[in-house]
């Protein structure tokens, strides 16, 4: 689940969900989107979910949901790391980690780049409901020592219809919008 697809140069990469293996793995497209091969395991012995890697201000940033208790609860803590390379084995954690400790907004749901701004999609958790819908926050500060975001959209407050939207991830690439629904 949560396959995060990103480009570096002319190559496409994917970060699939691999928390059960206690690793963060990067796969490279051999024949996009049909065929992928393991490129590198960039973190081991970590219970991380919904990992995103993005390039910003000449650095690569990894935003991931880590369960520091060692279990499988990936909704409460957002951790950020940075490196000079997207496939580095040496990621530096922000001293503020976890930068968000709130099960209602910490879990990644995607990322949107628009007009030189970065928006983090987050999954909205409800009591006893995983990923009931999503929200969007503009990342306003992302540095080696600081992180701030401002919530700009909550799907459960905006989407009005006879059918409740039951999705929790959103992805946009090359003007294609993908929403999950369950």
């Amino acid at each position: 689940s949560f396959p995060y697809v990103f480009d570096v140069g002319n190559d496409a990469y994917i970060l699939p969900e691999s928390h059960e293996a206690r690793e963060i793995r990067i796969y490279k497209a051999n024949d996009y989107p049909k065929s992928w091969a393991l490129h590198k395991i960039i973190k081991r012995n970590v219970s991380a979910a919904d990992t995103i890697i993005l390039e910003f201000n000449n650095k690569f940033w990894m935003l991931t949901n880590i369960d520091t208790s060692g279990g499988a609860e990936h909704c409460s803590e957002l951790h950020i790391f940075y490196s000079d390379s997207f496939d580095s084995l040496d990621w530096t954690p922000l001293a503020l980690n976890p930068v968000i400790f709130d099960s209602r907004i910490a879990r990644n749901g995607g990322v949107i780049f628009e007009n030189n701004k970065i928006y983090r999609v987050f999954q909205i958790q409800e009591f006893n409901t995983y990923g009931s819908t999503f929200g969007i926050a503009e990342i306003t500060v992302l540095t080696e020592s600081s992180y701030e975001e401002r919530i700009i959209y909550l799907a459960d407050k905006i989407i009005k219809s006879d059918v409740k939207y039951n999705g929790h991830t959103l992805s946009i690439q090359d003007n294609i919008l993908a929403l999950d629904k369950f």
Side-chain angles (χ1 to χ4, degrees), residues 2-179:
F2 192 81
Y4 177 70
V5 178
F6 63 105
D7 296 326
V8 176
N10 293 324
D11 296 316
Y13 296 89
I14 191 168
L15 289 160
E17 189 63 59
S18 56
H19 76 77
E20 290 178 355
R22 300 188 51 78
E23 297 174 340
I24 297 177
R25 300 173 179 176
I26 299 175
Y27 290 78
K28 183 178 179 182
N30 291 329
D31 179 22
Y32 182 84
K34 300 175 198 170
S35 174
W36 301 85
L38 180 62
H39 173 72
K40 194 180 273 187
I41 298 171
I42 59 171
K43 279 206 169 289
R44 295 180 188 270
N45 301 315
V46 62
S47 183
D50 300 347
T51 302
I52 292 170
I53 292 178
L54 57 97
E55 188 173 8
F56 177 72
N57 282 345
N58 300 314
K59 291 219 175 290
F60 286 92
W61 303 86
M62 179 178 11
L63 289 71
T64 190
N65 300 107
I66 296 176
D67 178 3
T68 56
S69 72
E73 195 285 313
H74 298 101
C75 297
S76 297
E77 299 180 35
L78 176 63
H79 293 253
I80 299 179
F81 301 82
Y82 61 91
S83 176
D84 291 329
S85 173
F86 78 97
D87 59 357
S88 174
L89 298 177
D90 186 28
W91 289 84
T92 303
L94 262 62
L96 301 171
N97 278 342
V99 296
I100 296 177
F101 188 66
D102 184 338
S103 64
R104 296 168 298 171
I105 62 170
R107 189 151 184 168
N108 287 325
V111 67
I112 302 168
F113 300 92
E114 185 175 310
N115 298 325
N116 296 320
K117 294 183 179 181
I118 304 170
Y119 299 92
R120 186 179 72 87
V121 179
F122 58 89
Q123 300 177 36
I124 296 174
Q125 313 303 323
E126 294 178 356
F127 180 74
N128 209 24
T129 303
Y130 160 71
S132 62
T133 190
F134 70 92
I136 300 174
E138 178 186 354
I139 297 174
T140 57
V141 177
L142 179 58
T143 68
E144 295 173 4
S145 60
S146 189
Y147 177 81
E148 294 177 19
E149 65 180 33
R150 177 177 60 91
I151 296 173
I152 61 168
Y153 177 87
L154 296 171
D156 61 337
K157 305 284 187 211
I158 305 293
I159 295 174
K160 305 285 185 205
S161 70
D162 293 337
V163 179
K164 183 179 178 196
Y165 173 74
N166 286 327
H168 60 279
T169 62
L170 177 145
S171 182
I172 299 175
Q173 185 162 351
D174 299 328
N175 293 321
I176 297 171
L177 172 69
L179 297 167

